[in-house]
Amino acid sequence: MDTTKVANTNGTAAATGGKPNRAAAVATWADERLGIASMAKKNLRKVFPDHWSFMLGEIALWSFVVLLLTGVFLTLWFTPSMGEVQYNGTYEQLRGVHMSEAYASSLKISFDVRGGLLMRQMHHWAAMLFIASMMVHLLRVFFTGAFRKPRELNWVIGCLLLILGTLEGFTGYSLPDDLLSGTGVRAADGFIKASPVIGTYMSFLLFGGEFPGDSIIPRLYTVHVLLIPGLLLALIAAHMLLLVYHKHTQWPGPGRTEKNVVGFPMLPVYAAKAGGFFFIVFGVTAFMGALLSINPVWKYGPYDPSKVTAGSQPDWYMGWPDGALRIMPGLETHIWGFTISWNIMLPILILPVVSFLFVLMLPFLDAWITGDKREHHLLERPRNAPTRTALMVALMTWYGLFWVAGGNDIIAIKLHSSINEITYFLRAAVLIGPVLAFVITRRWCISLQRKDNETLLHGYETGIIMRSAEGGYSERHLPLPESKAYTLTARDRDPVVNGHDEGTDANGLPAPGGGRFAGLRHRVRTVWYSDNVQKPTVEELEDGHHHAEHEHELQAGDEGHAADGHQFDGHHLVEDESLRGH
Amino acid sequence: MSTHSDGHDEPVDENLPARDDLYANPGLPEHHWRPTDVDPKAERRAERQVATLFVLSAICTVLFVVAYFSVGKDDTVIGLGAQNVSLGLALSGALLFIGIGIIQWARKLMGDHEIVEYRHPASSSEEDRAATVEALQLGLEESGIGRRPLVRNSLLGAVGLVGVTAIVPLWDLGPTNAKVTKEQPYPGAGLEHTVWDQGMRVVRDVVGTPIKPSDLQIGDLVNAEPEALFNGGEDGEPLEGVALQVGKSKGAVVVVRMEPEQITPGKGRENWSVDGIVCYSKICTHVGCPISLYERTTHHLLCPCHQSTFDLADSARVVFGPAARPLPQLPLAVDDEGYLVAQSDFTEPVGPSYWERG
């Protein structure tokens, strides 16, 4: 069928109507006042490549919009005050109980405002989605090498978004002033007090006097609804602008190169897909808010500094420093009348900051190690950067084990095991686990690289079992289709690390411009690339194909035998026999 | 294998190879027509599907409004609040159907030709950059910032200093520990004090009834508070507001009774217990959670927040977990009427460690 005649959804001519063109009129009106045509010209049909993993950041973006919308709704009823009131609302169990206005208004939103609980639960679920999708998006960007030049600064902005999102989450779930969140705020006060020299000053200024005081909720409220959202908005805008300026990365494939970007145009396809996806994220959040209870503050009761519930835990994204805090041995130094609380400072003040800075610096570290100063727009499969991939998996393992430690009490209860033993185990595991994960991931990646080369050189397994005339069985391999072979080989070779230190030349003399850390860099780079499998050379490829053709010929023909173990054992005449192969 | 350096100062690493393509780029794969492109029936079907989805969304919006005005506060459905479920599901449907409809439209009916756009290096052209650097240098030159160090340095100093005007007022965010301790705006103010005092009764929390030693069996643990929380206000009224919250946050204690011979009293604390009854601060010395999980056979008290464990038979020594200090002990006595009272305030600050604590 000649499809060109029937296809009409891909029209190339402009639509013509009886009336003058509306869109053009509006565009003219706007351009005469704003002069936006020259900018819009480039961007209306801007190309975005398609891949499911590019959607992760979009989830983060849209859940942030959901947070803004539901958050505005919540502010209409929430009273950020610690003034003491006696509750006399709908929720029977707490009637007559003294509580803060913040808690009472949270109850009001949950029970007396129609749709209020829905907004609260959607807000909380969207927050979880926001942070989770940012984390997974970060992993995607790292594993595919999308952070490399020229996108390092966007990585930095993304990291800032993640840390600000986390703080936004903490300040947000502290606002209802319930027993659980109050316990979290109290622990935070303990962290602040553990800061050397200025700890108590910071605590007293933040809380407006002695903990808990009556200032912390209104102050957290300002931070939560004004300060951090403002920063988040500005950084998200910068993140998106840089994304547009750099143009999105793409996976290698037929027709896709470092110099181009292939995909659907912004208008209409991408705008429709992204816009539609916003409604889907919003709808899923509403679905969760409808059916999945989250943070039922009425069950916890109002904050009372003399009470606590067993199994108190922060929201999941605060879980890993909490886990570190749990498994840290109780070290404190008392010197010259002062106290240094290592048991709090190390896990909660130093560890998260150092980890965050490390993640923030990863693109620069990677560039320093690899010495790669080129721009990269084609993504790399995780297996093709084994050490880099292994580094992130080690970090994930580290994070995961700390996170598990944050639930050591729950694990002990559920598994009927000793909390002490779980804690001792995790103390060792956070040190050993990442190393194991690193080694395993690296070897795994290298094996996958081998597998790729195997397929390139010897073809893919067809699943067809051939039986030769002699009764031998073999699986037929066929060469990859060219587009697949092209995609598999569309990657760089790793640089050759010379046998000599970089700081010196081949003769052992100091090389110019080596830099102070050249020796260290050379050693790290050697490890970074060692054992990596390179894609085949042209010769290897020709060799492999030649070999495969030969094999097919032999399999197809009648001549030749498979060695069956008896033919050439000296008991038979072999003059007329020819062995398959050589 | 050396790549040429294109005017950048940085040396280009000679070890980095250029990509060698083993296969010729096959170019973009052929475009395949979708059923909706070639079959008018399929096209109309897709159109109807999309429109149906949008109509479903509209129906859900109507349902939302209906639910808002008709579902009562106390109605339940499968054990969940009917209002929340009905409003949430209706909203969810109204949004999801729009989303799915738009995406269906994009996938089935909008053009699906992949198009190619060319990239440009992130950097500007050499000329632009040179012109910018030149303009920058000219501007700096004309400002004389390099030639007039006196102006420059005094400006830098002034601008750096002006930030102080934003920081200093933060001092009034709250009174400091020293100020609170000196002025005592409420009983037991300051980190080194609590509301406890000589002769103050130990009362049960929530109800505020005093405790006689005979009320406690061996192995009992009672959550207790200083009596002042219940009668320390003006005219014997209960404390309220900040005074109450601060009083609770430092004054909460646990009272435990065990066999007297099981207690290993700390040095100088030989007379701090009454008939095997000891009293410790309930506030964890780690980060300040109230501690509540008591294991009667071992006399261990476990903090539910970070699992620090204290041995109440042995001066609340830390036996496990991240806390570094034992729980402060409240010296107990019995008053004329036979009720448990404190001999004094705690002899050390309660709660988490801090720099000046020593």
Side-chain angles (χ1 to χ4, degrees), chain A residues 3 7 9-10 84 114 186 200 210 219 245 248 255 259-261 263 304 306 322 332 339 343 375 408 535, chain B residues 20 25 33 37 68 111-112 115 117 119 122 173 186 190 241 248-250 282 288 306 322 353 355-356 358:
Chain A
T3 54
T9 42
N10 285 287
E84 196 176 314
R114 278 176 278 186
R186 178 161 213 177
T200 52
E210 208 164 353
R219 286 175 186 177
Y245 180 63
H248 205 287
K259 300 249 169 356
N260 71 10
V261 51
D304 178 339
S306 65
D322 196 56
E332 236 181 51
T339 301
N343 53 346
E375 284 196 6
N408 60 355
K535 67 180 174 186
Chain B
D20 52 338
N25 189 340
W33 296 105
D37 291 323
Y68 187 88
D112 72 336
I115 59 174
E117 203 177 22
R119 293 181 188 274
L173 275 174
Y186 45 87
K248 275 185 174 179
S249 76
K250 290 187 299 182
K282 195 184 173 180
H306 305 99
S353 287
W355 175 254
E356 307 90 313

Side-chain angles (χ1 to χ4, degrees), chain A residues 209-238:
Chain A
E210 208 164 353
F211 174 88
D214 57 2
S215 308
I216 189 69
I217 296 291
R219 286 175 186 177
L220 288 181
Y221 184 71
T222 307
V223 173
H224 182 75
V225 305
L226 180 69
L227 184 61
I228 300 183
L231 292 173
L232 281 173
L233 264 176
L235 286 172
I236 288 174

Side-chain angles (χ1 to χ4, degrees), chain A residues 3 6-10 47 84 90 111-112 114-115 117-118 121-122 150-151 183 186 190-191 193 196-197 200-201 204-205 208-212 214 219 245-249 254-265 268-269 272 276 279-280 282-283 286-287 289-290 303-308 322 325-326 328 330 332 334 337-341 343-344 371-375 377-378 408-409 419-420 423-424 485-486 489 491-493 495-496 498 525 535-536 538 541 545, chain B residues 1 10-11 13 15-29 31 33-34 36-38 43 68-69 73-74 80 83-85 87-89 91-92 95-96 98-100 102-103 106-107 109-123 170-171 173-177 180 186 188-191 206 225 240-242 244-246 248-250 252 282-283 286-290 292-293 304-307 320-325 352-358:
Chain A
T3 54
V6 268
N8 53 13
T9 42
N10 285 287
V47 171
E84 196 176 314
T90 308
F111 292 109
D112 299 298
R114 278 176 278 186
L117 179 62
L118 181 66
Q121 300 199 134
M122 282 175 71
R151 297 183 176 78
T183 306
R186 178 161 213 177
F191 309 153
K193 282 182 177 146
V197 188
T200 52
Y201 291 91
F204 274 68
L205 294 186
E210 208 164 353
F211 174 88
D214 57 2
R219 286 175 186 177
Y245 180 63
H246 290 145
K247 298 190 171 80
H248 205 287
T249 51
R256 291 150 194 261
T257 68
E258 287 282 6
K259 300 249 169 356
N260 71 10
V261 51
V262 179
F264 294 113
V269 179
F279 284 98
I280 288 184
F282 205 166
F287 187 80
Y303 181 57
D304 178 339
S306 65
K307 292 201 178 73
V308 73
D322 196 56
L325 197 66
R326 288 174 183 217
M328 175 76 196
E332 236 181 51
H334 304 148
F338 297 112
T339 301
I340 306 169
S341 304
N343 53 346
I344 300 164
D372 194 344
K373 295 186 177 71
R374 299 165 301 175
E375 284 196 6
H377 303 289
L378 282 181
N408 60 355
D409 50 341
I419 195 160
N420 307 28
T423 303
Y424 295 137
Y486 173 77
T489 51
R491 67 174 177 110
D492 295 320
R493 287 179 199 288
V496 183
N498 298 329
R525 188 185 288 185
K535 67 180 174 186
V538 178
L541 207 59
H545 287 175
Chain B
M1 269 215 285
E10 299 158 326
D13 201 304
N15 296 325
L16 286 174
R19 165 174 298 144
D20 52 338
D21 281 340
L22 296 178
Y23 297 88
N25 189 340
L28 280 184
H31 177 257
W33 296 105
R34 299 162 297 185
T36 44
D37 291 323
V38 293
E43 191 189 348
Y68 187 88
F69 289 108
K73 262 198 277 203
D74 302 322
L80 300 166
Q83 210 170 59
N84 190 59
V85 171
L87 290 176
L89 289 182
L91 176 62
S92 166
L95 296 164
L96 281 176
I98 293 180
I100 298 169
I102 293 178
I103 286 175
R107 292 177 66 92
L109 295 170
M110 287 183 187
D112 72 336
H113 278 285
E114 284 196 310
I115 59 174
V116 180
E117 203 177 22
Y118 288 92
R119 293 181 188 274
H120 314 284
S123 54
L170 295 181
W171 191 249
L173 275 174
T176 58
N177 183 30
V180 168
Y186 45 87
L191 285 176
V206 186
E225 279 173 352
E240 52 184 31
V242 173
L244 175 70
Q245 293 290 78
V246 174
K248 275 185 174 179
S249 76
K250 290 187 299 182
K282 195 184 173 180
I283 309 306
H286 181 221
V287 291
C289 287
S292 56
L293 303 171
C305 288
H306 305 99
Q307 290 79 43
F320 180 74
R325 293 176 190 267
S353 287
Y354 50 89
W355 175 254
E356 307 90 313
R357 193 184 183 284

Side-chain angles (χ1 to χ4, degrees), chain B:
Chain B
M1 269 215 285
S2 75
T3 356
H4 66 95
S5 162
D6 47 2
H8 293 268
D9 295 339
E10 299 158 326
V12 170
D13 201 304
E14 295 192 352
N15 296 325
L16 286 174
R19 165 174 298 144
D20 52 338
D21 281 340
L22 296 178
Y23 297 88
N25 189 340
L28 280 184
E30 206 190 330
H31 177 257
H32 295 286
W33 296 105
R34 299 162 297 185
T36 44
D37 291 323
V38 293
D39 180 358
K41 266 190 201 157
E43 191 189 348
R44 278 196 298 277
R45 192 161 56 234
E47 222 177 281
R48 281 196 303 273
Q49 283 171 354
V50 173
T52 309
L53 286 163
F54 291 154
V55 170
L56 283 175
S57 162
I59 293 173
C60 285
T61 302
V62 173
L63 286 178
F64 182 91
V65 177
V66 171
Y68 187 88
F69 289 108
S70 65
V71 180
K73 262 198 277 203
D74 302 322
D75 299 349
T76 57
V77 52
I78 52 166
L80 300 166
Q83 210 170 59
N84 190 59
V85 171
S86 54
L87 290 176
L89 289 182
L91 176 62
S92 166
L95 296 164
L96 281 176
F97 285 129
I98 293 180
I100 298 169
I102 293 178
I103 286 175
Q104 179 77 349
W105 177 15
R107 292 177 66 92
K108 297 274 176 176
L109 295 170
M110 287 183 187
D112 72 336
H113 278 285
E114 284 196 310
I115 59 174
V116 180
E117 203 177 22
Y118 288 92
R119 293 181 188 274
H120 314 284
S123 54
S124 323
S125 68
E126 286 295 322
E127 302 88 74
D128 280 3
R129 200 184 307 175
T132 305
V133 170
E134 200 182 324
L136 185 70
Q137 271 166 350
L138 190 65
L140 290 174
E141 191 62 32
E142 287 181 1
S143 77
I145 199 163
R147 278 177 289 117
R148 303 185 202 285
L150 181 66
V151 172
R152 183 190 64 211
N153 295 344
S154 54
L155 173 69
L156 285 179
V159 170
L161 213 55
V162 85
V164 169
T165 59
I167 293 169
V168 166
L170 295 181
W171 191 249
D172 261 355
L173 275 174
T176 58
N177 183 30
K179 188 169 183 210
V180 168
T181 308
K182 187 165 155 244
E183 293 176 358
Q184 292 289 311
Y186 45 87
L191 285 176
E192 286 166 31
H193 307 277
T194 73
V195 72
W196 287 106
D197 206 352
Q198 189 184 356
M200 185 176 294
R201 279 186 179 158
V202 182
V203 300
R204 290 175 194 269
D205 71 347
V206 186
V207 288
T209 51
I211 304 166
K212 281 189 172 160
S214 54
D215 295 344
L216 297 175
Q217 304 291 318
I218 303 278
D220 277 0
L221 175 139
V222 168
N223 289 300
E225 279 173 352
E227 192 181 25
L229 299 187
F230 296 89
N231 66 5
E234 284 170 41
D235 309 325
E237 290 287 300
L239 289 181
E240 52 184 31
V242 173
L244 175 70
Q245 293 290 78
V246 174
K248 275 185 174 179
S249 76
K250 290 187 299 182
V253 290
V254 288
V255 182
V256 200
R257 182 158 195 181
M258 54 188 94
E259 298 285 1
E261 61 269 23
Q262 287 179 327
I263 300 177
T264 319
K267 215 173 162 193
R269 300 181 174 185
E270 289 81 4
N271 63 347
W272 284 18
S273 61
V274 175
D275 299 340
I277 299 173
V278 282
C279 181
Y280 292 99
S281 165
K282 195 184 173 180
I283 309 306
C284 188
T285 56
H286 181 221
V287 291
C289 287
I291 309 184
S292 56
L293 303 171
Y294 182 55
E295 194 175 53
R296 156 196 292 234
T297 48
T298 55
H299 318 297
H300 286 175
L301 194 62
L302 177 93
C303 177
C305 288
H306 305 99
Q307 290 79 43
S308 296
T309 311
F310 303 87
D311 185 357
L312 297 192
D314 187 9
S315 302
R317 176 175 62 87
V318 182
V319 290
F320 180 74
R325 293 176 190 267
L327 295 170
Q329 186 174 358
L330 188 74
L332 284 183
V334 175
D335 67 6
D336 304 338
E337 294 174 55
Y339 292 110
L340 289 176
V341 294
Q343 291 184 27
S344 69
D345 191 3
F346 285 101
T347 54
E348 56 185 319
V350 301
S353 287
Y354 50 89
W355 175 254
E356 307 90 313
R357 193 184 183 284

